């Protein structure tokens, strides 16, 4: 250790859950970068396995067909918050996993228990292997993937605010159509039998409807620092 360096803080595992359009990814990346933690976008992993299924012509209307090949693709997530990466069988899929085709199919694929088991194992190994700690964002992190996380945050926002944010990201998207798609995906993710989108009992809920991104980041950073300080 260098002279004058602060003692290393113990690794902290932070779970950030919530539906799309709540500022989850932007918040998680920024918090991880600010606090020197690793970062994992679990949604990207589900998108990656969905992309692989589409790419390989798997019948996504057949859960048995999805389950049979869930273990085949090799998914590797880079956890640097400044430049998170994701590859499938060595192919960079950061862009193709964000297409409307993949987005529209990810709920069906991620509802299959064998897929969730496979991806959950991947997520747990990345979280426990993060030497400095990690911010993990998703939909079932605090409830299912990392129930013993040091801090659990659940981000919410009104459907209108979320749709406005998403259509801003998807340049020129129809606001009404975006809102309907978000509500439909929420319903699918909240009602699935395996690891539904849900708020953990011990999670801190943050409503981001009226907050700027900077305010949300500041709020979560404060929560993490308090947790690290043992408050």
């Amino acid at each position: 250790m260098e002279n004058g360096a602060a003692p290393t803080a113990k690794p902290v595992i932070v779970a950030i859950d919530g539906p799309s359009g709540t500022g989850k990814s932007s918040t998680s990346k920024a918090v991880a970068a600010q606090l020197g933690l690793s970062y994992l976008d679990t949604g990207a992993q589900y998108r990656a396995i969905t992309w692989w299924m589409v790419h390989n012509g798997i019948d996504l209307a057949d859960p048995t067909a999805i389950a049979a090949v869930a273990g085949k693709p090799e998914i590797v997530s880079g956890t640097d918050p400044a430049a998170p990466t994701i590859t499938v069988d060595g192919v960079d899929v950061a862009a193709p996993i964000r297409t409307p085709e993949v987005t529209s199919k990810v709920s069906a694929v991620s509802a299959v228990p064998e897929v969730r088991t496979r991806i959950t194992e991947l997520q747990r190994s990345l979280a426990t292997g993060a030497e400095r700690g990690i911010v993990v964002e998703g939909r079932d992190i605090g409830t299912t993937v990392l129930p013993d996380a040091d801090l659990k945050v659940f981000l919410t926002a009104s459907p209108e605010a979320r749709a406005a944010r998403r259509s801003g990201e998807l340049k020129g998207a129809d606001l009404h159509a975006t809102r309907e798609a978000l509500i439909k995906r929420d319903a699918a993710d909240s009602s699935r039998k395996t690891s539904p989108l849900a708020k953990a009992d011990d999670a801190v809920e943050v409503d981001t409807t009226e907050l700027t991104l900077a305010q949300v980041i500041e709020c979560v950073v404060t929560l993490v620092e308090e947790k690290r300080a043992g408050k």
Side-chain angles (χ1 to χ4, degrees), residues 99-212:
T99 61
E101 182 182 24
V102 170
T103 300
S104 66
K105 295 179 169 68
V106 71
S107 284
V109 173
S110 60
V112 176
E114 288 81 358
V115 169
R116 297 209 76 82
T117 299
R118 164 87 201 286
I119 301 293
T120 296
E121 284 170 1
L122 197 55
Q123 291 162 2
R124 284 180 180 151
S125 67
L126 284 164
T128 54
E131 291 177 10
R132 296 161 303 169
I134 192 168
V135 177
V136 184
E137 62 138 310
R139 284 169 155 71
D140 65 337
I141 310 307
T143 52
T144 303
V145 180
L146 300 168
D148 297 326
D150 299 298
L151 173 67
K152 301 173 187 178
V153 178
F154 193 86
L155 299 183
T156 63
S158 70
E160 290 70 25
R162 292 166 51 214
R165 288 170 190 162
R166 287 319 293 261
S167 51
E169 290 167 17
L170 310 164
K171 302 288 181 277
D174 178 294
L175 193 60
H176 178 72
T178 303
R179 181 178 180 276
E180 293 306 306
L182 283 174
I183 291 171
K184 187 176 172 187
R185 178 150 183 217
D186 286 353
D189 289 351
S190 302
S191 61
R192 65 171 176 242
K193 288 194 179 75
T194 310
S195 306
L197 161 66
K199 178 190 164 201
D201 292 338
D202 53 348
V204 179
E205 184 167 326
V206 179
D207 187 334
T208 70
T209 305
E210 303 291 337
L211 300 178
T212 64

